[in-house]
Amino acid sequence: MKKILLFLVMVISFQNLLADDFEVDGSSYNIVSIEELTCELSKAKQGISNFVIPDKIEYRGRTLSVVAIGNSAFSNNKDLISIVIPSSIKKIGYNAFKACVNLKSIDIPSTVLELSKGIFEDCTELQYINMLTVYDNLPTLFIKGCSSLKKFVIGNKINQLPYSGSYSTGYDMLYGRFTWRMDDDDLTAKVDTLIIEDSQESLYTPAYWVNPVYNGDLYSSFGMLPIKYAYVGRDLTYRNANPGSDSAGPFNGNKTLESIEIGGFATKTFRLGCSNLSEVTLGENIKSVNGIDFLSTNLQSLRMKSTTPPTITDDFKNSFYLNTIVYVPAGTIELYKNAEKWKNFWNIREWDISSGIKGIPSEAECKHEVIRYNSIGQKIYSQEPGLNIILYNDGTAKKVLIKK
């Protein structure tokens, strides 16, 4: 009996050693540095759906900076839907958000320098991760079990995706400066959207890098992402890592990409090389279009937002001049029809950029979806639960109710 009591006392004492240092507003914190007055959020208060982590807290007359999210701080929190991480956070700990099954999206600020294993493991409703900095490697199990993840965003503070020919075995996808494990339950299978945010700074990305896993084959930076839609809001510059080819671009070889918009601050096109790509939108700041960039695509629709026809530096294929529909801003059709090389396109039509509605094509042309909005008019990149408003290439629209 005495031994049992002694054991219980030892267990309680050990648990006390592991106990959190203090509590503020229902959340628990541990001291990181008593001298620097820094702490980590060790256990978040339950019952809050939209959680805002404070950058500073007050405790016993002292102000402490919150610099980390501790191990399992939010794990199994079924109330959590969204979270705001302040710029004071430098580290996110092991399993920090594991099994937060209702968490929908998250922005990771550029101040976060350290990510730990299993941060988003089994966050089954997580659809969107926005990383505003780059990491040499993502930790293991980073998003294992995130079966709803659909969209990746490269933030506007990222200016370089450097080339490396020495990735470890088991890694074969480049995203930002970190590599992606394709063997974690085929996580990328549902990722269908890539967003490269608007920036006046160009984004450097290699056209190719050597994949050591598959006999040294060469792959482009985004060529293996199984995306259907991409938005590029800045100019891309790239160095071809394959000296034997000068025609590859960062999306080269992508067989799933169907639609891309090169907008925002982008001023020129880049080599695409996507065999399934049929729709391209070029933004209002595009000044230069190279027909060679579209050679390996299935270009059916080219939508222009610039009211001044950009310069075409190299010709498009003759089949594109004959068959591709070019949509130009309302009131500019004569400018395009008389502009050098643009006048070679046989089918130029006007469209209303503000509404996304284009000129009405003939009934014989193939009808397909161009863009989709939710019930409050926000552009979405795949079907979402609730009311979806779909615009088609013939100018018609349809409302569809998507059930969970």
Side-chain angles (χ1 to χ4, degrees):
M1 183 66 178
K2 288 182 179 180
K3 289 183 178 180
I4 294 175
L5 289 173
L6 179 60
F7 175 75
L8 291 175
V9 169
M10 290 175 65
V11 169
I12 292 170
S13 299
F14 180 69
Q15 288 177 335
N16 287 336
L17 286 174
L18 296 178
D20 303 308
D21 291 334
F22 62 98
E23 185 177 304
V24 175
D25 296 331
S27 292
S28 300
Y29 296 85
N30 283 326
I31 294 293
V32 173
S33 171
I34 196 71
E35 292 84 7
E36 297 178 2
L37 292 178
T38 57
C39 64
E40 70 172 14
L41 174 63
S42 55
K43 194 64 180 177
K45 182 181 179 180
Q46 300 286 315
I48 301 176
S49 58
N50 302 301
F51 199 101
V52 179
I53 299 176
D55 59 347
K56 297 182 184 297
I57 54 173
E58 300 287 335
Y59 185 71
R60 293 193 173 182
R62 302 290 183 94
T63 301
L64 297 96
S65 296
V66 183
V67 297
I69 301 172
N71 296 340
S72 303
F74 290 86
S75 63
N76 295 294
N77 187 329
K78 294 180 173 53
D79 301 309
L80 187 66
I81 296 175
S82 68
I83 186 164
V84 176
I85 300 175
S87 59
S88 61
I89 298 295
K90 305 293 189 294
K91 175 184 177 181
I92 301 178
Y94 173 81
N95 284 353
F97 298 97
K98 182 176 180 179
C100 290
V101 294
N102 291 307
L103 180 63
K104 305 292 186 184
S105 65
I106 192 164
D107 291 343
I108 300 178
S110 58
T111 54
V112 176
L113 303 177
E114 184 177 347
L115 300 175
S116 304
K117 179 180 177 180
I119 291 175
F120 301 112
E121 185 177 357
D122 294 330
C123 292
T124 53
E125 292 297 313
L126 185 63
Q127 297 183 15
Y128 171 81
I129 299 176
N130 184 11
M131 291 187 170
L132 297 178
T133 191
V134 290
Y135 302 93
D136 289 332
N137 286 288
L138 285 181
T140 58
L141 307 179
F142 179 67
I143 53 172
K144 184 174 183 178
C146 295
S147 55
S148 298
L149 193 62
K150 296 179 180 179
K151 179 164 65 173
F152 282 138
V153 174
I154 296 180
N156 56 21
K157 297 183 186 300
I158 298 175
N159 292 326
Q160 183 171 345
L161 311 185
Y163 164 77
S164 172
S166 59
Y167 292 134
S168 302
T169 300
Y171 288 81
D172 58 3
M173 182 176 293
L174 179 69
Y175 173 69
R177 225 180 108 205
F178 54 79
T179 48
W180 186 270
R181 288 187 68 93
M182 288 292 286
D183 55 357
D184 281 348
D185 293 344
D186 195 21
L187 291 174
T188 60
K190 293 190 177 182
V191 177
D192 60 12
T193 300
L194 172 69
I195 304 295
I196 300 177
E197 290 187 334
D198 294 0
S199 175
Q200 293 182 349
E201 299 290 330
S202 62
L203 176 67
Y204 174 84
T205 173
Y208 272 124
W209 84 96
V210 177
N211 182 331
V213 181
Y214 297 108
N215 303 316
D217 289 345
L218 298 173
Y219 289 87
S220 60
S221 296
F222 307 115
M224 292 179 65
L225 278 175
I227 50 176
K228 293 184 178 180
Y229 174 83
Y231 173 84
V232 179
R234 61 204 295 192
D235 283 327
L236 300 185
T237 58
Y238 47 90
R239 176 178 66 84
N240 192 350
N242 176 14
S245 172
D246 61 358
S247 62
F251 287 85
N252 189 72
N254 190 302
K255 297 179 180 179
T256 59
L257 186 65
E258 299 174 357
S259 175
I260 189 170
E261 178 171 352
I262 305 173
F265 293 102
T267 63
K268 58 187 178 181
T269 58
F270 49 83
R271 304 290 170 89
L272 289 163
C274 308
S275 58
N276 203 40
L277 180 63
S278 61
E279 296 185 347
V280 176
T281 299
L282 300 181
E284 58 186 11
N285 291 315
I286 294 291
K287 301 293 188 292
S288 174
V289 177
N290 191 332
I292 293 177
D293 291 340
F294 303 85
L295 274 178
S296 299
T297 69
N298 181 32
L299 187 64
Q300 298 176 19
S301 171
L302 179 60
R303 291 182 283 140
M304 307 299 300
K305 290 187 175 181
S306 175
T307 55
T308 301
T311 300
I312 296 179
T313 55
D314 287 291
D315 272 309
F316 286 79
K317 290 193 302 186
N318 286 333
S319 60
F320 289 163
Y321 282 135
L322 297 178
N323 302 307
T324 300
I325 305 173
V326 178
Y327 295 100
V328 301
T332 67
I333 191 167
E334 291 304 318
L335 284 174
Y336 276 86
K337 283 186 173 181
N338 291 291
E340 187 67 25
K341 296 186 179 178
W342 289 104
K343 61 186 179 183
N344 294 334
F345 284 99
W346 287 18
N347 198 342
I348 300 178
R349 306 177 185 183
E350 292 187 342
W351 69 304
D352 185 348
I353 296 175
S354 61
S355 67
I357 298 175
K358 302 177 286 295
I360 301 175
S362 67
E363 294 181 357
E365 293 171 351
C366 178
K367 179 176 179 178
H368 55 275
E369 179 180 333
V370 171
I371 199 167
R372 181 181 293 245
Y373 297 92
N374 61 18
S375 59
I376 59 174
Q378 296 174 325
K379 184 191 291 186
I380 55 178
Y381 304 104
S382 59
Q383 69 177 27
E384 293 183 358
L387 182 65
N388 286 209
I389 302 169
I390 305 171
L391 298 180
Y392 293 93
N393 65 316
D394 63 356
T396 61
K398 182 171 70 172
K399 295 179 180 179
V400 179
L401 184 62
I402 305 296
K403 297 181 180 179
K404 274 193 172 183

